[in-house]
């Protein structure tokens, strides 16, 4: 196996020992930057375990988790729009018109994949992990057992992977495609791993034994019946393809296989970049001191309130032996002036500046992140101009993160395109006239640069605005009925493709023109 020379003593092919050495090397780097501890603390503060490991010694332990509110708002802001990816042929090649049908087929598959993988909720989890942990990862693979509703079994699956489970070969570079190799670790039951190794023909499958999770700091988690599974991905220098290999510490689980992909099936998102490091900075990391301050001030205020908020009685013990606090009970006094027998001590007054400073700390923290009171719905703007201005001001601090998220979505659909060309084969699809036709998805490999992906927000408002613009262009005679039908989204006019085919047939004199391919597989 050429191209596998990450360790000098393992040049020919990967083996469990060599992969485990790479894994331990990556763990050592993460330990040097205290990644696991940072992620654990950030996750605890986000979910509300903000006093974990602190000895209160009788002090109240209140928590007013404004971090979760801010993170939820920021994540919802950058993922609230439905992301729409559109594949369209480039305008430069002379046969770009013939690529309109393959582009439409690819777009249909994109919509189906987005629905099957529940892309909207997947992206919210993807962005949430980046905000809390510093990084987030989307891993795409081919699931052979997936039911897709057709005669073919198998489909494309995408899942979110924690940043503590992804290890780059060059930890000083955050660019995925420039990595010499990438390792993804996971935990699985030992019997499952032994069964997989046995099915793949590895005789020493019994060597797979339970081990400890190096990422886990919580000793309460059950790990005595699981083993660490490592997935090694690397690029072969001769073919340019991505190869994959799975193993445990002492035994392979699956043999080396050529995925046929030219891109790593991984999308990597940093919330904020750190120079010379593939791990980023989480949004919560810099806000934890603010949350601790608010919690401590509240705890001290509560303690003071419990000890001094209620009135206390001071009485003369020489004249009253025991004080009776029962309602309506009589208290006996041995002569003298009763006015000097007892008095009520007024409770202490807590300074109002304390509550004002707590509110100011929370408000300034939220404002620095763009989560203003207006954006969070705590105030009411006076007019429409104020609404628009405040919305734009609220989204400005997150614009860079939003663009990074869109970049990851574009990379994800480019990965989908590669999986289609490698694994789909010939499938029956809808033709231009609504008739079924066979389409060879492997032909997409012959045109790797002829499809461009445009990522943008697709909302109900923007779609209606586009329809209104098309209607006005058609009414003014600026576009033809065929141009109108080709640009209107699916679902608004029944049988739209059949109408397009009829109009095209009428314009061409009744002859339908279909795209052809030359000997090299290019459309002409």
């Amino acid at each position: 196996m050429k191209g596998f020379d990450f360790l000098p003593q393992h040049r020919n092919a990967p083996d469990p020992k060599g992969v485990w050495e790479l894994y331990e090397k990556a763990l050592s780097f993460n330990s040097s930057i205290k990644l696991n501890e940072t992620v654990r603390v950030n996750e605890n503060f986000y979910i509300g375990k903000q006093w974990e490991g602190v000895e209160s010694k009788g002090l109240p332990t209140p928590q007013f988790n404004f971090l979760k509110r801010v993170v939820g708002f920021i994540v919802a802001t950058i993922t609230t729009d439905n992301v729409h990816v559109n594949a369209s042929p480039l305008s430069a090649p002379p046969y770009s018109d013939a690529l309109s049908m393959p582009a439409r087929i690819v777009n249909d598959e994109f919509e189906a994949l987005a629905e099957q993988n529940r892309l909207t909720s997947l992206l919210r989890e993807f962005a949430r992990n980046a905000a809390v942990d510093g990084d987030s990862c989307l891993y795409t693979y081919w699931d052979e057992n997936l039911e897709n509703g057709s005669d073919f079994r198998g489909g494309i699956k995408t899942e979110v992977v924690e940043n503590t489970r992804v290890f780059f070969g060059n930890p000083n570079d955050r660019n995925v495609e420039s990595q010499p190799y990438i390792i993804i670790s996971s935990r699985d039951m030992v019997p499952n791993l032994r069964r997989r190794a046995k099915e793949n023909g590895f005789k020493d499958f019994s060597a797979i034994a339970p081990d400890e999770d190096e990422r886990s700091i919580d000793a309460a988690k059950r790990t005595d019946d699981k083993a660490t599974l490592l997935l090694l991905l690397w690029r072969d220098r001769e073919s340019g393809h991505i190869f994959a290999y799975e193993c445990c510490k002492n035994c392979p689980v699956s043999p080396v296989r050529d995925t046929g992909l030219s891109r790593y099936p991984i999308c990597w998102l940093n919330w904020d970049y750190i120079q010379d490091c593939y791990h980023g900075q989480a949004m919560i990391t810099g806000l934890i001191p603010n949350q601790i301050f608010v919690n401590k001030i509240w705890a001290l205020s509560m303690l003071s309130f419990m000890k001094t908020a209620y009135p206390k009685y001071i009485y003369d013990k020489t004249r009253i032996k025991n004080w009776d606090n029962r309602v309506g009970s009589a208290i006996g006094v041995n002569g003298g002036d009763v006015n000097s027998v007892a008095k009520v001590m007024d409770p202490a007054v807590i300074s109002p500046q304390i509550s004002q400073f707590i509110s100011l700390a929370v408000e300034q923290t939220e404002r620095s992140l763009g989560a203003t009171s207006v954006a969070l719905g705590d105030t009411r703007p006076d007019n429409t101009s104020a609404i628009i201005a405040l919305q734009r001001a609220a989204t400005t601090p997150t614009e860079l993160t939003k663009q990074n998220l869109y970049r990851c979505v574009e990379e994800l659909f480019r990965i989908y395109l590669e999986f289609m060309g490698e694994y789909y084969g010939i499938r029956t699809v809808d033709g231009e006239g609504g008739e079924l036709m066979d389409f060879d998805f492997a032909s997409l490999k012959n045109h790797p640069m002829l499809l461009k992906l445009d990522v943008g927000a697709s909302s109900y408002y923007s779609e209606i605005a586009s329809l209104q613009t098309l209607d006005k262009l058609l009414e003014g005679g600026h576009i033809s009925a065929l141009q109108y039908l080709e640009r209107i989204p699916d679902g608004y006019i029944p049988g739209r493709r059949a109408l397009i085919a009829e109009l095209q047939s009428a314009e061409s004199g009744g002859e339908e023109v279909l795209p052809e391919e030359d000997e090299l597989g290019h459309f002409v």
Side-chain angles (χ1 to χ4, degrees):
M1 176 62 62
K2 296 182 178 180
F4 184 83
D5 54 359
F6 316 129
L7 293 176
Q9 64 270 34
H10 304 281
R11 288 183 178 273
N12 296 327
D15 65 287
K17 181 181 178 181
V19 176
W20 197 264
E21 290 179 9
L22 297 175
Y23 173 60
E24 290 182 334
K25 182 180 178 181
L27 287 176
S28 177
F29 174 81
N30 286 350
S31 177
S32 66
I33 63 175
K34 299 180 180 180
L35 176 67
N36 292 341
E37 176 65 18
T38 300
V39 171
R40 184 188 68 84
V41 172
N42 289 3
E43 288 286 344
N44 283 341
F45 269 81
Y46 177 75
I47 65 177
K49 297 169 63 176
Q50 298 178 352
W51 289 89
E52 187 175 84
V54 178
E55 295 183 5
S56 61
K57 296 181 180 179
L59 188 71
T61 56
Q63 57 183 27
F64 296 85
N65 194 357
F66 64 89
L67 291 183
K68 188 170 187 177
R69 185 188 188 205
V70 173
V71 171
F73 167 77
I74 299 298
V75 170
T77 299
I78 65 177
T79 61
T80 184
D81 297 327
N82 295 321
V83 178
H84 178 72
V85 179
N86 180 47
S88 58
L90 297 176
S91 58
Y95 47 85
S96 59
D97 292 340
L99 285 172
S100 59
M101 182 184 67
R104 179 190 60 79
I105 294 173
V106 168
N107 285 329
D108 291 343
E109 288 297 325
F110 280 170
E111 292 181 5
L113 287 172
E115 183 66 26
Q116 291 172 4
N117 288 289
R118 299 178 180 177
L119 187 61
T120 301
S121 60
L122 202 69
L123 291 179
R124 288 194 175 97
E125 183 182 356
F126 183 54
R128 178 264 183 204
N129 284 4
V132 177
D133 302 337
D135 325 287
S136 192
C137 176
L138 287 177
Y139 170 59
T140 303
Y141 61 96
W142 180 260
D143 187 354
E144 298 180 351
N145 299 319
L146 184 66
E147 293 286 349
N148 53 24
S150 64
D151 296 335
F152 301 92
R153 290 183 64 87
I156 303 173
K157 290 289 294 295
T158 300
E159 63 181 22
V160 177
V161 182
E162 297 88 347
N163 64 338
T164 54
R165 291 171 47 195
V166 183
F167 308 94
F168 283 11
N170 182 6
N172 301 112
D173 187 2
R174 60 177 177 268
N175 185 15
V176 173
E177 295 305 318
S178 64
Q179 294 300 318
Y181 64 90
I182 297 177
I183 296 177
I184 300 178
S185 69
S186 60
R187 301 282 292 175
D188 200 355
M189 306 292 288
V190 171
N192 294 339
L193 295 175
R194 289 178 177 176
R195 176 182 51 80
R196 288 186 55 194
K198 183 178 180 181
E199 291 176 351
N200 289 322
F202 297 107
K203 298 181 180 180
D204 54 346
F205 61 89
S206 59
I208 300 178
D211 55 25
E212 295 183 359
D213 188 0
E214 298 292 340
R215 303 176 303 109
S216 179
I217 303 178
D218 189 358
K221 293 182 179 178
R222 180 182 175 187
T223 60
D224 57 345
D225 56 353
K226 299 181 181 65
T228 300
L229 175 66
L230 301 181
L231 169 64
L232 174 66
L233 302 170
W234 76 95
R235 188 188 306 277
D236 182 70
R237 289 193 302 272
E238 294 184 356
S239 63
H241 291 180
I242 303 299
F243 280 67
Y245 174 74
E246 286 182 295
C247 69
C248 293
K249 185 175 182 179
N250 299 315
C251 177
V253 175
S254 66
V256 175
R257 66 182 187 277
D258 183 358
T259 64
L261 308 175
S262 60
R263 304 173 64 90
Y264 283 107
I266 287 176
C267 299
W268 186 256
L269 174 64
N270 298 123
W271 187 263
D272 200 359
Y273 298 134
I274 295 179
Q275 296 297 332
D276 294 331
C277 184
Y278 79 101
H279 287 296
Q281 177 83 357
M283 181 179 67
I284 278 189
T285 300
L287 305 180
I288 287 179
N290 296 18
Q291 181 70 68
I292 293 176
F293 168 78
V294 171
N295 289 348
K296 283 186 176 180
I297 294 297
W298 269 111
L300 294 173
S301 300
M302 291 175 119
L303 182 63
S304 175
F305 182 81
M306 288 188 299
K307 289 186 175 182
T308 64
Y310 300 98
K312 296 183 180 297
Y313 296 95
I314 302 176
Y315 64 95
D316 188 354
K317 293 182 64 175
T318 61
R319 305 175 66 180
I320 302 177
K321 185 176 182 181
N322 292 313
W323 185 265
D324 192 348
N325 263 342
R326 291 180 299 174
V327 178
S329 63
I331 301 175
V333 179
N334 295 324
D337 186 6
V338 295
N339 294 325
S340 60
V341 172
K343 62 181 298 186
V344 178
M345 187 177 180
D346 294 332
V349 178
I350 299 178
S351 173
Q353 292 182 348
I354 296 177
S355 61
Q356 294 174 3
F357 205 81
I358 291 175
S359 301
L360 183 62
V362 175
E363 181 182 348
Q364 291 297 326
T365 302
E366 294 175 344
R367 182 178 296 177
S368 66
L369 297 171
T372 60
S373 57
V374 176
L376 290 170
D378 293 338
T379 59
R380 182 176 179 178
D382 297 330
N383 51 58
T384 306
S385 300
I387 295 174
I388 297 175
L390 290 169
Q391 284 179 343
R392 291 180 177 177
T395 57
T396 299
T398 60
E399 190 62 30
L400 292 177
T401 305
K402 188 174 184 178
Q403 294 303 319
N404 290 335
L405 178 65
Y406 281 173
R407 173 187 56 80
C408 290
V409 174
E410 183 175 340
E411 292 176 357
L412 175 64
F413 278 86
R414 289 190 183 277
I415 293 171
Y416 284 168
L417 192 62
E418 293 228 352
F419 272 92
M420 292 180 196
E422 180 65 24
Y423 294 96
Y424 271 27
I426 300 176
R427 295 195 176 189
T428 303
V429 297
D430 291 334
E432 290 291 344
E435 299 179 356
L436 298 179
M437 59 172 289
D438 291 333
F439 179 76
D440 187 4
F441 282 87
S443 63
L444 298 175
K445 291 185 176 182
N446 300 324
H447 316 282
M449 301 303 294
L450 298 180
L451 295 175
K452 62 179 181 179
L453 304 178
D454 300 321
V455 183
S458 172
S459 62
Y460 178 77
Y461 173 80
S462 62
E463 199 170 87
I464 292 298
S466 300
L467 288 175
Q468 292 175 348
T469 303
L470 288 173
D471 291 339
K472 291 180 180 179
L473 290 174
L474 181 63
E475 293 174 359
H478 302 290
I479 59 175
S480 64
L482 179 59
Q483 292 173 325
Y484 177 83
L485 290 173
E486 288 176 341
R487 288 162 176 79
I488 196 172
D490 290 332
Y492 285 90
I493 297 180
R496 181 178 67 89
R497 295 176 184 172
L499 289 175
I500 293 176
E502 293 174 3
L503 290 175
Q504 289 177 340
S505 177
E507 290 183 358
S508 61
E511 296 182 359
E512 186 176 1
V513 180
L514 298 176
E516 299 179 355
E517 292 188 4
D518 58 13
E519 296 178 354
L520 298 177
H522 296 284
F523 290 104
V524 297

